[in-house]
Amino acid sequence: MAGQFVLLVFVFLMVLAAARDAMSYTIPNWLCGILALSFPVAALFLGLSWMDFGLHLLVGFVALLIGMALFAPGWIGGGDAKLVAAAALWFGWPDALMFLGKAALMGGLLAVTLIMLRRAAPATGLPQRWMTNTLLADGAPAPYGIALAAGALWTLPDSQIFLLAAM
């Protein structure tokens, strides 16, 4: 029961990150921090061995390095880099690879959807104020936290932590 609860915490925090990114184009540091700091508690309740726990930490650290490398040239936001690391920490090896692949697919779908919506928005006759400072604004960034959360939720049912929580 406790293992299932900690997975609900993970799901809630990922959905919250997606919602915050969609509304404000930011993922707060506190949210990524809670996600990362709640993992050791989850690992305890899920019964991860020290070796598995260390492997999860290594995966999270490598994901943070990759996120920082993508942030440096401005390809992703800083919140996205931290969120991908915190989520990868939860998935560990090799589930983190599946998470990253699915998040990339969802990011592509998000980009195509935003392009189509932004091109169609002027034809809808919506008031101009609805198309500024929103997802429909021309030139607005893509809130990649949505894709990261979708990739995480898509990966979760087939992941090792999900199987451990079901026991």
Side-chain angles (χ1 to χ4, degrees):
M1 179 83 166
Q4 295 165 348
F5 178 75
V6 295
L7 286 188
L8 283 176
V9 169
F10 173 77
V11 168
F12 173 76
L13 292 171
M14 291 302 293
V15 170
L16 182 59
R20 288 291 302 256
D21 203 14
M23 292 186 293
S24 65
Y25 301 112
T26 59
I27 301 170
N29 289 336
W30 63 263
L31 204 156
C32 294
I34 290 173
L35 191 59
L37 292 174
S38 62
F39 175 73
V41 175
L44 182 66
F45 282 115
L46 294 172
L48 285 182
S49 69
W50 282 107
M51 187 167 183
D52 287 338
F53 181 74
L55 192 55
H56 278 258
L57 289 178
L58 180 62
V59 167
F61 180 71
V62 169
L64 182 61
L65 291 177
I66 292 169
M68 290 168 47
L70 294 172
F71 170 72
W75 294 341
I76 65 171
D80 301 326
K82 290 176 273 193
L83 184 62
V84 75
L89 171 68
W90 277 75
F91 284 113
W93 182 261
D95 293 329
L97 286 179
M98 190 60 68
F99 157 64
L100 293 173
K102 289 178 178 180
L105 285 173
M106 297 308 288
L109 180 62
L110 174 67
V112 168
T113 302
L114 287 175
I115 289 168
M116 290 175 21
L117 287 174
R118 288 172 183 171
R119 288 194 177 162
T124 63
L126 291 171
Q128 185 62 32
R129 62 180 153 71
W130 285 21
M131 290 188 279
T132 55
N133 298 327
T134 68
L135 291 175
L136 298 177
D138 203 25
Y144 204 71
I146 295 171
L148 293 172
L153 297 180
W154 185 9
T155 304
L156 188 60
D158 297 322
S159 69
Q160 192 65 30
I161 60 167
F162 191 83
L163 293 175
L164 289 172
M167 291 181 174

